[in-house]
Amino acid sequence: MRDDQASERLEDLLARAHQQLGIAVHDGLMGSGGPPELRDPDQMLGRLLAAAHRQTGDAVAGRLARRGRRAPRERGVSGTAAPSERLLMRPASVRLKYREQALDCARRYWPLDAVGVIGDAVRTVQEVIAKLEEEMLPDAARGRLQQVSSGLGQVLALPPPANLQPPLSGFDYVEEVEDFLATCAWRLVTATRRSKQLLDNELVLHFCTPEFSWLGALEVSQDLADDLDLAYREALSLSRAVTVVEDASTDFRGADLESADLDGVDLEGIRWDVSTEWPAHWQERIWRASLAVDSGQGELIVGAEPRDSTVAVDI
C-alpha cells in the first residue's frame, strides 16, 4: 500500500471514530437531560477552588478540634526554649508563690471560649460559601452573619497588650506570664479584627443591596474564610498558652517545696505526688487536705479543707 493510500485510510478511520464519538456524547447528554448550562470559565474555576478550600478547611478544623486545648506543647526553633518551657523551668517555689496572680492573669486572657466562638464563625461562613456556590441564597444569612459579628466582638474585648519592658535581669515571673499571654492575645485580636471588618464592611452589605451579586458575595466569603482560619489558629495558640500557665501553676509533682513559704498561699487544686517535698511542719496538713486522683500514677490533689483521715501511703 502506498504512503498516500495509507494516509487516506488513517484519516478515514479517524473521521469515522470522531463521528461515532460525537453520536455517543450527544446520546449521553440528551439521555441525562440535555446539554449542561454554559458557565463563565473564571466562575467555574472560582467554584472549584472554593470547593477545594472548603473541604481542606473542614479537614484541618476537624483535626485541630480533635487535638483540643491540651495539645502537645511545641518546642522553639534553633534549640532555644519556647516560652511555655521557660515558664515551667522557673523554680517550683516561685511558681507556687505567684500562682494566684498567674491564674488570675490566665482567667483575664481567657474569659470566654474563643476557640468555640471562632470555630462557630468558621462553620457558618463555610455553610454560606456552600450555598453561594450553588447560587442559593442562604436562609437568614444576614442574621446569622450578624451573630458571627457579635461573637467576634466578644473576642475583641480581650485585654490589650501591656507595654512590658524587661529589666536587665529579665522579666520576673508574673511579668513573664503576662507577656506570654498578651503576645498570643494580641495576635488573636489582630486576626479577629481583620475578620470582623471584612464581615461588617463588605460581606453583610452584599446581603443588604437590592442587586445581589453571587460572585461578589462568594469572593468576599472566601476571603473571610481565610481570615477566620488564621484567627482560629491564633485562638488555639492562646488556649494552649493559658493551659501552659495553668499547668505551671498547678502541677507540682516531684517538686522541691521544702523551703517554700506556704503561709497565705492558696494550695487548693495543686497536683502533687509522693516525690513532692513539702516543708516538714506542713506535711501532715497537706496529706489530710489531699485526695488521690484516679490516674494510676500516684497523683494527689489538694482539696479545700483538711480531711478527717490522711490518704493511704501506698497510693
mmCIF file of all heavy atoms in Angstrom, residues 70-120:
data_model
loop_
_atom_site.group_PDB
_atom_site.id
_atom_site.type_symbol
_atom_site.label_atom_id
_atom_site.label_comp_id
_atom_site.label_asym_id
_atom_site.label_seq_id
_atom_site.Cartn_x
_atom_site.Cartn_y
_atom_site.Cartn_z
ATOM 1 N N ARG A 70 -5.579 20.818 75.170
ATOM 2 C CA ARG A 70 -4.356 20.291 75.749
ATOM 3 C C ARG A 70 -3.552 19.551 74.701
ATOM 4 O O ARG A 70 -3.231 18.374 74.834
ATOM 5 C CB ARG A 70 -4.678 19.392 76.937
ATOM 6 C CG ARG A 70 -5.295 20.161 78.079
ATOM 7 C CD ARG A 70 -5.494 19.308 79.298
ATOM 8 N NE ARG A 70 -6.028 20.118 80.389
ATOM 9 C CZ ARG A 70 -5.301 20.775 81.247
ATOM 10 N NH1 ARG A 70 -3.983 20.752 81.137
ATOM 11 N NH2 ARG A 70 -5.846 21.483 82.217
ATOM 12 N N ALA A 71 -3.236 20.274 73.633
ATOM 13 C CA ALA A 71 -2.405 19.700 72.586
ATOM 14 C C ALA A 71 -0.965 19.643 73.056
ATOM 15 O O ALA A 71 -0.559 20.368 73.959
ATOM 16 C CB ALA A 71 -2.503 20.563 71.312
ATOM 17 N N PRO A 72 -0.136 18.764 72.451
ATOM 18 C CA PRO A 72 1.258 18.697 72.862
ATOM 19 C C PRO A 72 1.952 20.031 72.707
ATOM 20 O O PRO A 72 1.748 20.749 71.735
ATOM 21 C CB PRO A 72 1.846 17.641 71.892
ATOM 22 C CG PRO A 72 0.662 16.845 71.437
ATOM 23 C CD PRO A 72 -0.489 17.799 71.418
ATOM 24 N N ARG A 73 2.785 20.372 73.664
ATOM 25 C CA ARG A 73 3.495 21.649 73.601
ATOM 26 C C ARG A 73 4.555 21.593 72.520
ATOM 27 O O ARG A 73 5.255 20.596 72.351
ATOM 28 C CB ARG A 73 4.143 21.957 74.951
ATOM 29 C CG ARG A 73 3.134 22.060 76.083
ATOM 30 C CD ARG A 73 3.835 22.534 77.340
ATOM 31 N NE ARG A 73 2.894 22.584 78.443
ATOM 32 C CZ ARG A 73 2.712 21.598 79.301
ATOM 33 N NH1 ARG A 73 3.381 20.475 79.162
ATOM 34 N NH2 ARG A 73 1.844 21.709 80.279
ATOM 35 N N GLU A 74 4.676 22.692 71.786
ATOM 36 C CA GLU A 74 5.650 22.762 70.710
ATOM 37 C C GLU A 74 6.947 23.369 71.234
ATOM 38 O O GLU A 74 6.941 24.285 72.035
ATOM 39 C CB GLU A 74 5.109 23.619 69.560
ATOM 40 C CG GLU A 74 3.818 23.055 68.973
ATOM 41 C CD GLU A 74 3.268 23.948 67.900
ATOM 42 O OE1 GLU A 74 3.880 25.014 67.682
ATOM 43 O OE2 GLU A 74 2.245 23.589 67.296
ATOM 44 N N ARG A 75 8.040 22.854 70.739
ATOM 45 C CA ARG A 75 9.350 23.371 71.129
ATOM 46 C C ARG A 75 9.745 24.541 70.239
ATOM 47 O O ARG A 75 9.313 24.646 69.098
ATOM 48 C CB ARG A 75 10.414 22.274 71.033
ATOM 49 C CG ARG A 75 10.218 21.172 72.059
ATOM 50 C CD ARG A 75 11.373 20.190 72.015
ATOM 51 N NE ARG A 75 11.243 19.220 73.080
ATOM 52 C CZ ARG A 75 11.724 19.385 74.295
ATOM 53 N NH1 ARG A 75 12.371 20.487 74.595
ATOM 54 N NH2 ARG A 75 11.582 18.462 75.218
ATOM 55 N N GLY A 76 10.571 25.388 70.773
ATOM 56 C CA GLY A 76 11.065 26.508 69.989
ATOM 57 C C GLY A 76 12.067 26.050 68.955
ATOM 58 O O GLY A 76 12.563 24.931 68.985
ATOM 59 N N VAL A 77 12.375 26.903 68.003
ATOM 60 C CA VAL A 77 13.314 26.563 66.947
ATOM 61 C C VAL A 77 14.724 26.846 67.418
ATOM 62 O O VAL A 77 14.962 27.504 68.421
ATOM 63 C CB VAL A 77 13.015 27.389 65.679
ATOM 64 C CG1 VAL A 77 11.650 27.035 65.142
ATOM 65 C CG2 VAL A 77 13.088 28.883 65.966
ATOM 66 N N SER A 78 15.684 26.309 66.676
ATOM 67 C CA SER A 78 17.108 26.540 66.927
ATOM 68 C C SER A 78 17.542 26.122 68.328
ATOM 69 O O SER A 78 18.504 26.663 68.877
ATOM 70 C CB SER A 78 17.469 28.024 66.693
ATOM 71 O OG SER A 78 17.086 28.417 65.400
ATOM 72 N N GLY A 79 16.830 25.167 68.907
ATOM 73 C CA GLY A 79 17.254 24.648 70.195
ATOM 74 C C GLY A 79 16.961 25.555 71.365
ATOM 75 O O GLY A 79 17.338 25.250 72.492
ATOM 76 N N THR A 80 16.305 26.705 71.147
ATOM 77 C CA THR A 80 16.007 27.603 72.256
ATOM 78 C C THR A 80 14.718 27.180 72.919
ATOM 79 O O THR A 80 13.843 26.582 72.296
ATOM 80 C CB THR A 80 15.858 29.053 71.755
ATOM 81 O OG1 THR A 80 14.822 29.101 70.774
ATOM 82 C CG2 THR A 80 17.171 29.531 71.136
ATOM 83 N N ALA A 81 14.568 27.490 74.187
ATOM 84 C CA ALA A 81 13.382 27.093 74.924
ATOM 85 C C ALA A 81 12.196 27.957 74.523
ATOM 86 O O ALA A 81 12.314 29.171 74.400
ATOM 87 C CB ALA A 81 13.630 27.207 76.421
ATOM 88 N N ALA A 82 11.064 27.330 74.265
ATOM 89 C CA ALA A 82 9.848 28.069 73.983
ATOM 90 C C ALA A 82 9.362 28.735 75.255
ATOM 91 O O ALA A 82 9.735 28.344 76.353
ATOM 92 C CB ALA A 82 8.788 27.107 73.439
ATOM 93 N N PRO A 83 8.503 29.784 75.127
ATOM 94 C CA PRO A 83 8.004 30.465 76.330
ATOM 95 C C PRO A 83 7.370 29.512 77.324
ATOM 96 O O PRO A 83 7.527 29.669 78.527
ATOM 97 C CB PRO A 83 6.985 31.453 75.754
ATOM 98 C CG PRO A 83 7.455 31.720 74.364
ATOM 99 C CD PRO A 83 8.043 30.424 73.896
ATOM 100 N N SER A 84 6.623 28.503 76.837
ATOM 101 C CA SER A 84 5.991 27.559 77.753
ATOM 102 C C SER A 84 7.032 26.813 78.564
ATOM 103 O O SER A 84 6.868 26.582 79.759
ATOM 104 C CB SER A 84 5.135 26.566 76.961
ATOM 105 O OG SER A 84 5.933 25.856 76.025
ATOM 106 N N GLU A 85 8.141 26.440 77.936
ATOM 107 C CA GLU A 85 9.193 25.719 78.649
ATOM 108 C C GLU A 85 9.896 26.634 79.646
ATOM 109 O O GLU A 85 10.281 26.193 80.734
ATOM 110 C CB GLU A 85 10.191 25.147 77.650
ATOM 111 C CG GLU A 85 9.577 24.069 76.760
ATOM 112 C CD GLU A 85 10.525 23.616 75.680
ATOM 113 O OE1 GLU A 85 11.399 24.427 75.292
ATOM 114 O OE2 GLU A 85 10.410 22.481 75.212
ATOM 115 N N ARG A 86 10.073 27.903 79.296
ATOM 116 C CA ARG A 86 10.715 28.823 80.230
ATOM 117 C C ARG A 86 9.872 28.990 81.486
ATOM 118 O O ARG A 86 10.398 29.090 82.598
ATOM 119 C CB ARG A 86 10.947 30.183 79.560
ATOM 120 C CG ARG A 86 12.012 30.143 78.463
ATOM 121 C CD ARG A 86 12.565 31.533 78.215
ATOM 122 N NE ARG A 86 11.532 32.460 77.821
ATOM 123 C CZ ARG A 86 11.180 32.667 76.549
ATOM 124 N NH1 ARG A 86 11.755 31.978 75.591
ATOM 125 N NH2 ARG A 86 10.251 33.549 76.256
ATOM 126 N N LEU A 87 8.534 29.030 81.306
ATOM 127 C CA LEU A 87 7.670 29.134 82.478
ATOM 128 C C LEU A 87 7.835 27.919 83.381
ATOM 129 O O LEU A 87 7.915 28.039 84.602
ATOM 130 C CB LEU A 87 6.207 29.256 82.044
ATOM 131 C CG LEU A 87 5.761 30.584 81.433
ATOM 132 C CD1 LEU A 87 4.316 30.482 80.988
ATOM 133 C CD2 LEU A 87 5.907 31.723 82.425
ATOM 134 N N LEU A 88 7.890 26.741 82.778
ATOM 135 C CA LEU A 88 7.985 25.525 83.570
ATOM 136 C C LEU A 88 9.359 25.348 84.194
ATOM 137 O O LEU A 88 9.508 24.601 85.162
ATOM 138 C CB LEU A 88 7.645 24.316 82.686
ATOM 139 C CG LEU A 88 6.208 24.286 82.159
ATOM 140 C CD1 LEU A 88 6.013 23.116 81.212
ATOM 141 C CD2 LEU A 88 5.216 24.185 83.309
ATOM 142 N N MET A 89 10.376 26.023 83.651
ATOM 143 C CA MET A 89 11.711 25.908 84.220
ATOM 144 C C MET A 89 11.916 26.826 85.422
ATOM 145 O O MET A 89 12.942 26.710 86.106
ATOM 146 C CB MET A 89 12.771 26.213 83.146
ATOM 147 C CG MET A 89 12.941 25.100 82.122
ATOM 148 S SD MET A 89 14.386 25.325 81.047
ATOM 149 C CE MET A 89 14.001 26.882 80.276
ATOM 150 N N ARG A 90 11.004 27.724 85.661
ATOM 151 C CA ARG A 90 11.147 28.571 86.834
ATOM 152 C C ARG A 90 11.033 27.709 88.084
ATOM 153 O O ARG A 90 10.296 26.711 88.111
ATOM 154 C CB ARG A 90 10.067 29.663 86.845
ATOM 155 C CG ARG A 90 10.122 30.579 85.640
ATOM 156 C CD ARG A 90 11.430 31.332 85.534
ATOM 157 N NE ARG A 90 11.494 32.422 86.466
ATOM 158 C CZ ARG A 90 11.185 33.682 86.169
ATOM 159 N NH1 ARG A 90 10.805 33.993 84.953
ATOM 160 N NH2 ARG A 90 11.272 34.622 87.073
ATOM 161 N N PRO A 91 11.758 28.049 89.167
ATOM 162 C CA PRO A 91 11.716 27.220 90.375
ATOM 163 C C PRO A 91 10.292 27.018 90.866
ATOM 164 O O PRO A 91 9.437 27.906 90.785
ATOM 165 C CB PRO A 91 12.550 28.025 91.372
ATOM 166 C CG PRO A 91 13.456 28.860 90.526
ATOM 167 C CD PRO A 91 12.673 29.191 89.297
ATOM 168 N N ALA A 92 10.054 25.822 91.386
ATOM 169 C CA ALA A 92 8.707 25.497 91.856
ATOM 170 C C ALA A 92 8.260 26.442 92.955
ATOM 171 O O ALA A 92 7.079 26.806 93.032
ATOM 172 C CB ALA A 92 8.672 24.051 92.351
ATOM 173 N N SER A 93 9.185 26.870 93.815
ATOM 174 C CA SER A 93 8.812 27.775 94.894
ATOM 175 C C SER A 93 8.328 29.118 94.352
ATOM 176 O O SER A 93 7.424 29.740 94.922
ATOM 177 C CB SER A 93 10.007 27.991 95.834
ATOM 178 O OG SER A 93 11.129 28.494 95.115
ATOM 179 N N VAL A 94 8.908 29.575 93.229
ATOM 180 C CA VAL A 94 8.487 30.834 92.605
ATOM 181 C C VAL A 94 7.106 30.662 91.979
ATOM 182 O O VAL A 94 6.220 31.514 92.146
ATOM 183 C CB VAL A 94 9.510 31.279 91.547
ATOM 184 C CG1 VAL A 94 8.988 32.491 90.771
ATOM 185 C CG2 VAL A 94 10.842 31.608 92.202
ATOM 186 N N ARG A 95 6.897 29.568 91.258
ATOM 187 C CA ARG A 95 5.597 29.324 90.632
ATOM 188 C C ARG A 95 4.502 29.181 91.683
ATOM 189 O O ARG A 95 3.367 29.614 91.467
ATOM 190 C CB ARG A 95 5.663 28.068 89.766
ATOM 191 C CG ARG A 95 6.521 28.236 88.522
ATOM 192 C CD ARG A 95 6.432 27.039 87.602
ATOM 193 N NE ARG A 95 7.222 25.911 88.080
ATOM 194 C CZ ARG A 95 6.739 24.738 88.444
ATOM 195 N NH1 ARG A 95 5.427 24.536 88.423
ATOM 196 N NH2 ARG A 95 7.526 23.766 88.833
ATOM 197 N N LEU A 96 4.852 28.582 92.819
ATOM 198 C CA LEU A 96 3.861 28.423 93.883
ATOM 199 C C LEU A 96 3.550 29.758 94.546
ATOM 200 O O LEU A 96 2.389 30.074 94.828
ATOM 201 C CB LEU A 96 4.374 27.430 94.917
ATOM 202 C CG LEU A 96 3.436 27.138 96.089
ATOM 203 C CD1 LEU A 96 2.145 26.515 95.588
ATOM 204 C CD2 LEU A 96 4.116 26.222 97.101
ATOM 205 N N LYS A 97 4.572 30.559 94.768
ATOM 206 C CA LYS A 97 4.390 31.839 95.438
ATOM 207 C C LYS A 97 3.463 32.756 94.652
ATOM 208 O O LYS A 97 2.635 33.474 95.236
ATOM 209 C CB LYS A 97 5.744 32.510 95.657
ATOM 210 C CG LYS A 97 5.655 33.867 96.341
ATOM 211 C CD LYS A 97 7.044 34.460 96.554
ATOM 212 C CE LYS A 97 6.973 35.805 97.247
ATOM 213 N NZ LYS A 97 8.331 36.397 97.455
ATOM 214 N N TYR A 98 3.593 32.731 93.325
ATOM 215 C CA TYR A 98 2.830 33.660 92.484
ATOM 216 C C TYR A 98 1.721 32.945 91.703
ATOM 217 O O TYR A 98 1.226 33.479 90.706
ATOM 218 C CB TYR A 98 3.762 34.361 91.498
ATOM 219 C CG TYR A 98 4.785 35.246 92.166
ATOM 220 C CD1 TYR A 98 6.122 34.855 92.231
ATOM 221 C CD2 TYR A 98 4.416 36.459 92.740
ATOM 222 C CE1 TYR A 98 7.068 35.661 92.852
ATOM 223 C CE2 TYR A 98 5.353 37.260 93.358
ATOM 224 C CZ TYR A 98 6.681 36.855 93.418
ATOM 225 O OH TYR A 98 7.611 37.648 94.043
ATOM 226 N N ARG A 99 1.301 31.779 92.161
ATOM 227 C CA ARG A 99 0.312 31.007 91.398
ATOM 228 C C ARG A 99 -1.027 31.727 91.307
ATOM 229 O O ARG A 99 -1.686 31.681 90.261
ATOM 230 C CB ARG A 99 0.141 29.602 91.990
ATOM 231 C CG ARG A 99 -0.609 29.508 93.294
ATOM 232 C CD ARG A 99 -0.709 28.048 93.750
ATOM 233 N NE ARG A 99 -1.457 27.222 92.828
ATOM 234 C CZ ARG A 99 -2.737 26.900 92.989
ATOM 235 N NH1 ARG A 99 -3.411 27.362 94.037
ATOM 236 N NH2 ARG A 99 -3.355 26.137 92.115
ATOM 237 N N GLU A 100 -1.446 32.400 92.368
ATOM 238 C CA GLU A 100 -2.730 33.097 92.319
ATOM 239 C C GLU A 100 -2.708 34.219 91.287
ATOM 240 O O GLU A 100 -3.658 34.389 90.517
ATOM 241 C CB GLU A 100 -3.077 33.651 93.702
ATOM 242 C CG GLU A 100 -3.407 32.583 94.733
ATOM 243 C CD GLU A 100 -3.809 33.190 96.057
ATOM 244 O OE1 GLU A 100 -4.859 33.868 96.093
ATOM 245 O OE2 GLU A 100 -3.091 32.990 97.045
ATOM 246 N N GLN A 101 -1.606 34.996 91.264
ATOM 247 C CA GLN A 101 -1.514 36.071 90.272
ATOM 248 C C GLN A 101 -1.467 35.505 88.859
ATOM 249 O O GLN A 101 -2.081 36.054 87.932
ATOM 250 C CB GLN A 101 -0.271 36.925 90.523
ATOM 251 C CG GLN A 101 -0.318 37.721 91.809
ATOM 252 C CD GLN A 101 0.357 36.986 92.957
ATOM 253 O OE1 GLN A 101 0.181 35.773 93.128
ATOM 254 N NE2 GLN A 101 1.135 37.725 93.753
ATOM 255 N N ALA A 102 -0.745 34.391 88.685
ATOM 256 C CA ALA A 102 -0.646 33.791 87.355
ATOM 257 C C ALA A 102 -1.998 33.257 86.898
ATOM 258 O O ALA A 102 -2.401 33.434 85.737
ATOM 259 C CB ALA A 102 0.394 32.679 87.363
ATOM 260 N N LEU A 103 -2.737 32.596 87.797
ATOM 261 C CA LEU A 103 -4.047 32.070 87.430
ATOM 262 C C LEU A 103 -5.041 33.196 87.152
ATOM 263 O O LEU A 103 -5.884 33.088 86.253
ATOM 264 C CB LEU A 103 -4.568 31.158 88.541
ATOM 265 C CG LEU A 103 -3.828 29.823 88.702
ATOM 266 C CD1 LEU A 103 -4.340 29.074 89.922
ATOM 267 C CD2 LEU A 103 -3.972 28.967 87.447
ATOM 268 N N ASP A 104 -4.952 34.286 87.935
ATOM 269 C CA ASP A 104 -5.809 35.449 87.659
ATOM 270 C C ASP A 104 -5.519 36.010 86.272
ATOM 271 O O ASP A 104 -6.434 36.394 85.529
ATOM 272 C CB ASP A 104 -5.596 36.531 88.717
ATOM 273 C CG ASP A 104 -6.221 36.167 90.063
ATOM 274 O OD1 ASP A 104 -7.086 35.267 90.075
ATOM 275 O OD2 ASP A 104 -5.829 36.771 91.078
ATOM 276 N N CYS A 105 -4.253 36.048 85.913
ATOM 277 C CA CYS A 105 -3.862 36.551 84.593
ATOM 278 C C CYS A 105 -4.408 35.644 83.493
ATOM 279 O O CYS A 105 -4.920 36.122 82.468
ATOM 280 C CB CYS A 105 -2.338 36.637 84.507
ATOM 281 S SG CYS A 105 -1.712 37.443 83.025
ATOM 282 N N ALA A 106 -4.325 34.323 83.707
ATOM 283 C CA ALA A 106 -4.851 33.381 82.715
ATOM 284 C C ALA A 106 -6.349 33.562 82.536
ATOM 285 O O ALA A 106 -6.867 33.504 81.412
ATOM 286 C CB ALA A 106 -4.527 31.953 83.145
ATOM 287 N N ARG A 107 -7.069 33.805 83.638
ATOM 288 C CA ARG A 107 -8.519 33.998 83.538
ATOM 289 C C ARG A 107 -8.850 35.296 82.799
ATOM 290 O O ARG A 107 -9.852 35.369 82.083
ATOM 291 C CB ARG A 107 -9.146 33.997 84.936
ATOM 292 C CG ARG A 107 -9.250 32.592 85.553
ATOM 293 C CD ARG A 107 -10.041 32.621 86.845
ATOM 294 N NE ARG A 107 -9.276 33.194 87.942
ATOM 295 C CZ ARG A 107 -8.550 32.481 88.790
ATOM 296 N NH1 ARG A 107 -8.476 31.157 88.660
ATOM 297 N NH2 ARG A 107 -7.889 33.066 89.770
ATOM 298 N N ARG A 108 -8.041 36.323 82.958
ATOM 299 C CA ARG A 108 -8.296 37.584 82.260
ATOM 300 C C ARG A 108 -8.148 37.425 80.757
ATOM 301 O O ARG A 108 -8.877 38.048 79.972
ATOM 302 C CB ARG A 108 -7.340 38.673 82.750
ATOM 303 C CG ARG A 108 -7.705 39.252 84.104
ATOM 304 C CD ARG A 108 -6.944 40.525 84.396
ATOM 305 N NE ARG A 108 -5.515 40.313 84.526
ATOM 306 C CZ ARG A 108 -4.611 40.708 83.639
ATOM 307 N NH1 ARG A 108 -5.002 41.351 82.534
ATOM 308 N NH2 ARG A 108 -3.332 40.485 83.833
ATOM 309 N N TYR A 109 -7.197 36.595 80.343
ATOM 310 C CA TYR A 109 -6.960 36.419 78.913
ATOM 311 C C TYR A 109 -7.785 35.285 78.320
ATOM 312 O O TYR A 109 -7.707 35.037 77.115
ATOM 313 C CB TYR A 109 -5.474 36.175 78.645
ATOM 314 C CG TYR A 109 -4.655 37.440 78.699
ATOM 315 C CD1 TYR A 109 -3.960 37.784 79.861
ATOM 316 C CD2 TYR A 109 -4.601 38.303 77.615
ATOM 317 C CE1 TYR A 109 -3.224 38.950 79.925
ATOM 318 C CE2 TYR A 109 -3.868 39.472 77.668
ATOM 319 C CZ TYR A 109 -3.181 39.791 78.826
ATOM 320 O OH TYR A 109 -2.460 40.953 78.881
ATOM 321 N N TRP A 110 -8.569 34.590 79.144
ATOM 322 C CA TRP A 110 -9.444 33.537 78.627
ATOM 323 C C TRP A 110 -10.808 33.641 79.290
ATOM 324 O O TRP A 110 -11.282 32.713 79.948
ATOM 325 C CB TRP A 110 -8.819 32.162 78.871
ATOM 326 C CG TRP A 110 -9.454 31.080 78.043
ATOM 327 C CD1 TRP A 110 -10.318 30.115 78.472
ATOM 328 C CD2 TRP A 110 -9.278 30.847 76.644
ATOM 329 N NE1 TRP A 110 -10.699 29.308 77.428
ATOM 330 C CE2 TRP A 110 -10.070 29.734 76.295
ATOM 331 C CE3 TRP A 110 -8.534 31.490 75.646
ATOM 332 C CZ2 TRP A 110 -10.131 29.239 75.000
ATOM 333 C CZ3 TRP A 110 -8.597 30.996 74.361
ATOM 334 C CH2 TRP A 110 -9.383 29.885 74.055
ATOM 335 N N PRO A 111 -11.485 34.803 79.126
ATOM 336 C CA PRO A 111 -12.795 34.978 79.773
ATOM 337 C C PRO A 111 -13.904 34.223 79.050
ATOM 338 O O PRO A 111 -14.992 34.064 79.583
ATOM 339 C CB PRO A 111 -13.016 36.488 79.695
ATOM 340 C CG PRO A 111 -12.283 36.890 78.448
ATOM 341 C CD PRO A 111 -11.077 35.998 78.371
ATOM 342 N N LEU A 112 -13.645 33.783 77.821
ATOM 343 C CA LEU A 112 -14.627 33.041 77.052
ATOM 344 C C LEU A 112 -13.898 32.032 76.187
ATOM 345 O O LEU A 112 -12.683 32.117 75.991
ATOM 346 C CB LEU A 112 -15.460 33.976 76.174
ATOM 347 C CG LEU A 112 -14.817 34.507 74.886
ATOM 348 C CD1 LEU A 112 -15.890 35.039 73.964
ATOM 349 C CD2 LEU A 112 -13.788 35.573 75.170
ATOM 350 N N ASP A 113 -14.638 31.079 75.670
ATOM 351 C CA ASP A 113 -14.056 30.048 74.812
ATOM 352 C C ASP A 113 -13.878 30.617 73.407
ATOM 353 O O ASP A 113 -14.755 30.468 72.547
ATOM 354 C CB ASP A 113 -14.951 28.811 74.802
ATOM 355 C CG ASP A 113 -14.363 27.681 73.959
ATOM 356 O OD1 ASP A 113 -13.207 27.806 73.528
ATOM 357 O OD2 ASP A 113 -15.085 26.682 73.732
ATOM 358 N N ALA A 114 -12.752 31.273 73.187
ATOM 359 C CA ALA A 114 -12.514 31.892 71.884
ATOM 360 C C ALA A 114 -12.421 30.852 70.780
ATOM 361 O O ALA A 114 -12.815 31.119 69.633
ATOM 362 C CB ALA A 114 -11.227 32.728 71.929
ATOM 363 N N VAL A 115 -11.910 29.656 71.090
ATOM 364 C CA VAL A 115 -11.839 28.594 70.079
ATOM 365 C C VAL A 115 -13.242 28.223 69.618
ATOM 366 O O VAL A 115 -13.505 28.070 68.419
ATOM 367 C CB VAL A 115 -11.101 27.364 70.643
ATOM 368 C CG1 VAL A 115 -11.183 26.196 69.663
ATOM 369 C CG2 VAL A 115 -9.645 27.698 70.925
ATOM 370 N N GLY A 116 -14.175 28.092 70.563
ATOM 371 C CA GLY A 116 -15.545 27.761 70.200
ATOM 372 C C GLY A 116 -16.227 28.872 69.419
ATOM 373 O O GLY A 116 -16.937 28.607 68.435
ATOM 374 N N VAL A 117 -16.011 30.124 69.832
ATOM 375 C CA VAL A 117 -16.651 31.265 69.157
ATOM 376 C C VAL A 117 -16.184 31.359 67.701
ATOM 377 O O VAL A 117 -17.003 31.474 66.776
ATOM 378 C CB VAL A 117 -16.341 32.575 69.903
ATOM 379 C CG1 VAL A 117 -16.797 33.779 69.090
ATOM 380 C CG2 VAL A 117 -17.030 32.584 71.269
ATOM 381 N N ILE A 118 -14.876 31.305 67.492
ATOM 382 C CA ILE A 118 -14.366 31.443 66.127
ATOM 383 C C ILE A 118 -14.625 30.175 65.325
ATOM 384 O O ILE A 118 -14.850 30.237 64.111
ATOM 385 C CB ILE A 118 -12.872 31.806 66.163
ATOM 386 C CG1 ILE A 118 -12.694 33.154 66.871
ATOM 387 C CG2 ILE A 118 -12.286 31.860 64.756
ATOM 388 C CD1 ILE A 118 -11.283 33.631 66.947
ATOM 389 N N GLY A 119 -14.619 29.023 65.989
ATOM 390 C CA GLY A 119 -14.969 27.790 65.288
ATOM 391 C C GLY A 119 -16.388 27.845 64.744
ATOM 392 O O GLY A 119 -16.650 27.418 63.609
ATOM 393 N N ASP A 120 -17.326 28.378 65.528
ATOM 394 C CA ASP A 120 -18.697 28.549 65.049
ATOM 395 C C ASP A 120 -18.740 29.518 63.865
ATOM 396 O O ASP A 120 -19.506 29.314 62.906
ATOM 397 C CB ASP A 120 -19.590 29.076 66.174
ATOM 398 C CG ASP A 120 -19.853 28.021 67.242
ATOM 399 O OD1 ASP A 120 -19.653 26.822 66.953
ATOM 400 O OD2 ASP A 120 -20.235 28.403 68.370
#
